[in-house]
């Protein structure tokens, strides 16, 4: 999904102003994050069994990601009917859940993940907006993609036994003021050839270290009717490392006192990436060599989305427990019925014959079972 807006004006692309703004995806130049419990590949029905987005496994059945990574963002936890367009994104969705999530840190090759869970509900902000505005002429007009771009997925079963904390406003202030480093982890493309379809992805999650900016270089708040403090945080890449194509929702993580905290989801990248031709002048542009980075929607700015998802999951767990209890009671009743079922046996003693009926029938003394 991370394409330069002047070459790919998809509803999943994002731009904030006249600069090359792209949807944020996996990582190039980073280290392997194989086995990392904090990152998951999100696999949509329309992909070739590989990650179309990345998410953070915040809890065993809870994934946080970019809003545009959901099955096109119904806000009530249910999917639109088959062949019904979501009014905001204009993307067709399926009647049943069209998205799966692989177990954390797995390599997700072209053949797909062997261990995965199905998404049963998803939640986005009621303010989510995915339409592009005036993105002609290379995106040099007022142009944006997904606003309030944060979402949560609920899974049909646990994928881990770990739970992580969401960074508070105070903790994010500390990151911004002190321009601290965070880790970004993503699945997806890592070479120019992969973005052109001439090479396959290896499906390995990768991580890079970026530095949180104290300013906002591309400010799209003019598009927002409501903008909580530090809803948007931007980062700056290190040389040779950047997010790349095919995987929005890359989570940002930081460690404090030996504990990992989730910052939010990267839904937009700024500057060149692996899908940018190597002869593009932007690679020599001093401004972008200094300012390329990612933009995160911070989870703390969406308490209503988190609350709705938590409420659904709590109710779902009660429903599942009830269903499990009823199933267990049924199975136990059937087992008891089998145990209590009466049978008849034939017993003989010489020329004498007796039939004995009971739960565990036994021939009388002197008789043998025929």
């Amino acid at each position: 999904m991370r394409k330069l807006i002047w070459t790919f004006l998809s509803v999943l692309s994002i731009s904030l102003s006249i600069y090359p703004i792209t949807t944020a995806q996996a990582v190039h130049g980073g280290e392997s994050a194989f086995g990392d419990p904090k990152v998951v590949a999100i696999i949509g029905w329309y992909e070739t069994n590989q990650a179309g987005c990345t998410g953070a496994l915040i809890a065993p059945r809870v994934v946080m990601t970019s809003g545009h990574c959901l099955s096109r963002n119904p806000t009530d936890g249910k999917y639109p009917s088959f062949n019904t367009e979501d009014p905001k994104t204009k993307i067709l969705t399926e009647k049943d859940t069209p998205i799966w999530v692989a177990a954390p840190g797995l390599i997700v090759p072209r053949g797909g993940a062997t261990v995965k869970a199905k998404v049963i509900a998803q939640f986005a902000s009621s303010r989510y907006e995915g339409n592009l505005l005036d993105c002609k002429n290379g995106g040099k007009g007022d142009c944006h993609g997904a606003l309030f771009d944060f979402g949560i997925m609920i899974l049909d079963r646990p994928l881990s036994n770990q739970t992580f904390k969401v960074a508070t406003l105070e903790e994010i202030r500390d990151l911004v003021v002190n321009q601290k480093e965070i880790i970004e982890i993503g699945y997806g493309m890592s070479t120019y050839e992969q973005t052109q379809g001439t090479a396959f992805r290896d499906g390995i999650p990768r991580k890079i270290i970026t530095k949180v900016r104290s300013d906002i270089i591309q400010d799209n708040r003019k598009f927002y009717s409501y903008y909580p403090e530090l809803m948007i945080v931007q980062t700056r890449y290190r040389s040779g490392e950047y997010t790349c194509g095919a995987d929005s929702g890359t989570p940002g993580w930081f460690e404090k006192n030996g504990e990992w905290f989730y910052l939010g989801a990267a839904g937009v990248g700024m500057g060149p990436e692996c899908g940018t031709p190597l002869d593009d002048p932007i690679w020599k542009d001093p401004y972008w060599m200094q300012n390329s980075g990612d933009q995160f929607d911070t989870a703390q700015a969406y308490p209503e989305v988190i609350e709705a998802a938590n409420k659904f999951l709590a109710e779902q767990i009660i429903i599942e427990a009830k269903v499990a209890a009823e199933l267990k009671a049924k199975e136990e009743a059937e087992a008891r019925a089998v145990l209590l079922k009466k049978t008849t046996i034939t017993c003989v003693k010489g020329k004498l014959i007796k039939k004995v009926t009971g739960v565990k029938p036994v021939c009388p003394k002197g008789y043998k079972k025929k």
Side-chain angles (χ1 to χ4, degrees), residues 258-289:
E259 188 174 8
W260 286 100
F261 291 81
Y262 175 68
L263 171 64
V268 60
M270 301 164 292
E273 40 81 53
C274 68
T276 308
L278 295 179
D279 58 356
D280 193 301
I282 193 173
W283 287 110
K284 297 180 180 180
D285 187 325
Y287 178 85
W288 286 112
M289 293 304 96

Side-chain angles (χ1 to χ4, degrees), residues 86-225:
D86 183 278
K88 292 182 179 179
T89 64
K90 305 303 182 185
I91 297 295
L92 296 179
T93 60
E94 291 187 342
K95 181 178 180 180
D96 200 4
T97 308
I99 292 184
W100 293 261
V101 173
L106 281 187
I107 295 176
V108 184
R110 188 173 176 82
T114 55
V115 182
K116 58 187 178 182
K118 197 175 186 180
V119 175
I120 59 173
Q122 54 188 2
F123 300 86
S125 171
S126 60
R127 299 180 179 87
Y128 174 85
E129 174 59 69
N131 288 338
L132 294 171
L133 302 177
D134 190 19
C135 283
K136 299 177 181 179
N137 301 318
K140 294 183 178 180
D142 278 349
C143 179
H144 79 79
L147 303 180
F148 299 98
D149 193 18
F150 176 78
I152 298 177
M153 297 174 171
I154 303 298
L155 309 178
D156 67 346
R157 65 187 183 90
L159 283 179
S160 77
N161 58 3
Q162 291 186 262
T163 300
F164 298 96
K165 293 180 180 178
V166 170
T168 65
L169 178 59
E170 291 72 22
E171 289 164 339
I172 297 175
R173 284 184 187 135
D174 178 61
L175 293 178
V176 170
V177 170
N178 295 293
Q179 301 183 53
K180 291 187 175 181
E181 292 181 339
I182 66 170
I183 291 177
E184 300 184 27
I185 316 173
Y187 284 85
M189 300 180 190
S190 58
T191 68
Y192 179 75
E193 289 74 20
Q194 290 171 5
T195 68
Q196 302 305 301
T198 58
F200 294 127
R201 288 183 277 158
D202 57 18
I204 299 174
R206 292 181 172 84
K207 60 185 177 181
I208 59 174
I209 297 174
T210 59
K211 182 173 288 188
V212 176
R213 299 182 64 100
S214 60
D215 59 349
I216 300 291
I217 61 169
Q218 305 299 332
D219 194 345
N220 66 339
R221 280 175 289 186
K222 62 183 177 180
F223 296 118
Y224 285 70
S225 58

Side-chain angles (χ1 to χ4, degrees), residues 344-349 352-356 363-364 367-368:
T344 299
I345 61 174
T346 301
C347 304
V348 296
K349 181 180 179 182
L352 298 176
I353 298 175
K354 280 190 175 183
K355 292 187 179 293
V356 181
C363 290
Y367 283 76
K368 292 183 178 181

